[in-house]
Amino acid sequence: MTDWIITLHDKTIRRFTIRAGQQLSIGRGQDCDITIDNKAVSRRHISLAFLNGIYFVSDLGSTNGTLVNGRKITVDEPVTEEDKIEFGKFTLSPAANREDGPGAGASAAGDLDMNDETIFVKTQTAVSSGKIFQPKTSGPHLTVIQGGGQPDKLALHGKSSIKIGKAEDCDLIVKGWLIAPAQCYIIKQDKGYCLIPQKSWAATMVNDTKASRERPLRAGDIIKIRQNVIRFE
């Protein structure tokens, strides 16, 4: 569970909480979880989801679009606290990135530049649907299909290096007897992704063949590390 904020002209105007497994919608429509009555915001503009420790932002077919680091997005986009997320005239970011005094954003209408014709209608403190968010898989990703690795789905978009192993700082943590803290790496190259095995008592297998050196990965390849089975897609 963590807090996020919506800002306008560098002023915090709305603070809300998102919990693991939730997906919140933001837009001008009354059916959104967070409603913003502003002509630059579409009826259903943007969504924010939190799954397996990863935040996903998606544009919901808005007129003016949603930008991540200045680039317009469409499908679910994994984001970090360092990314800049913009929709309409607004910015969406983790509350931890900003230091505001108590009660900042609690009363939206009084602080705003009314030339922007902005009125904040409501924020639902409890998300009504409670449905589990499932990200779209438009880009390369890893899916754990056996063994309980965490997270069970890991998007590779925007990442140049992925570490797999039993250490807590790994991008994908796999447990098991003799598995190394850093069992292998998946590296992005010009022509795609490749797997680089590391020294370990446990073998890293790709399509039932032991990986003893760097090897390219193709969609559908199966990576096996003892009881852990991971599909590259």
Side-chain angles (χ1 to χ4, degrees):
M1 181 174 69
T2 189
D3 285 355
W4 281 64
I5 56 175
I6 298 173
T7 57
L8 175 66
H9 303 325
D10 205 34
K11 293 181 180 179
T12 299
I13 54 175
R14 180 59 65 196
R15 185 184 184 109
F16 62 91
T17 299
I18 184 168
R19 296 173 174 82
Q22 281 188 332
Q23 183 177 24
L24 302 181
S25 58
I26 304 170
R28 202 172 66 245
Q30 293 292 315
D31 58 337
C32 289
D33 299 303
I34 299 170
T35 302
I36 302 177
D37 188 9
N38 181 280
K39 60 185 179 183
V41 177
S42 293
R43 189 183 67 81
R44 289 179 57 81
H45 197 119
I46 182 175
S47 71
L48 175 69
F50 187 31
L51 178 68
N52 293 327
I54 302 174
Y55 295 102
F56 293 85
V57 168
S58 181
D59 185 82
L60 301 177
S62 69
T63 300
N64 293 327
T66 301
L67 304 178
V68 174
N69 299 327
R71 176 175 55 84
K72 184 174 286 190
I73 66 166
T74 53
V75 299
D76 301 313
E77 181 87 4
V79 295
T80 70
E81 295 182 356
E82 305 300 320
D83 292 321
K84 184 176 183 180
I85 306 164
E86 299 171 284
F87 66 102
K89 301 176 182 180
F90 302 87
T91 300
L92 176 66
S93 62
N97 288 358
R98 185 181 179 93
E99 296 182 0
D100 287 310
S107 178
D111 300 334
L112 299 178
D113 179 358
M114 296 311 293
N115 291 331
D116 283 318
E117 300 178 13
T118 306
I119 301 173
F120 291 83
V121 179
K122 69 181 177 73
T123 300
Q124 293 180 357
T125 56
V127 180
S128 56
S129 66
K131 63 182 180 181
I132 298 299
F133 170 67
Q134 295 294 335
K136 300 170 187 173
T137 54
S138 60
H141 58 280
L142 299 172
T143 301
V144 176
I145 57 178
Q146 183 177 315
Q150 291 296 325
D152 57 7
K153 190 179 292 289
L154 178 63
L156 304 186
H157 177 79
K159 302 178 186 294
S160 59
S161 175
I162 298 293
K163 181 166 71 171
I164 301 174
K166 68 179 182 181
E168 294 301 319
D169 64 345
C170 287
D171 300 287
L172 200 162
I173 300 173
V174 291
K175 301 293 187 179
W177 182 248
L178 301 179
I179 293 177
Q183 179 73 22
C184 63
Y185 286 86
I186 294 178
I187 306 294
K188 188 178 188 306
Q189 299 179 328
D190 292 339
K191 295 183 179 180
Y193 290 84
C194 71
L195 181 143
I196 303 177
Q198 301 296 294
K199 186 176 180 180
S200 174
W201 290 103
T204 299
M205 312 290 289
V206 179
N207 299 332
D208 293 325
T209 300
K210 182 178 179 179
S212 55
R213 60 176 63 87
E214 176 182 323
R215 63 167 293 165
L217 292 174
R218 296 177 176 83
D221 281 351
I222 298 296
I223 303 166
K224 186 175 181 180
I225 306 169
R226 297 192 65 83
Q227 76 273 19
N228 303 281
V229 181
I230 305 160
R231 183 169 58 237
F232 173 79
E233 302 177 277

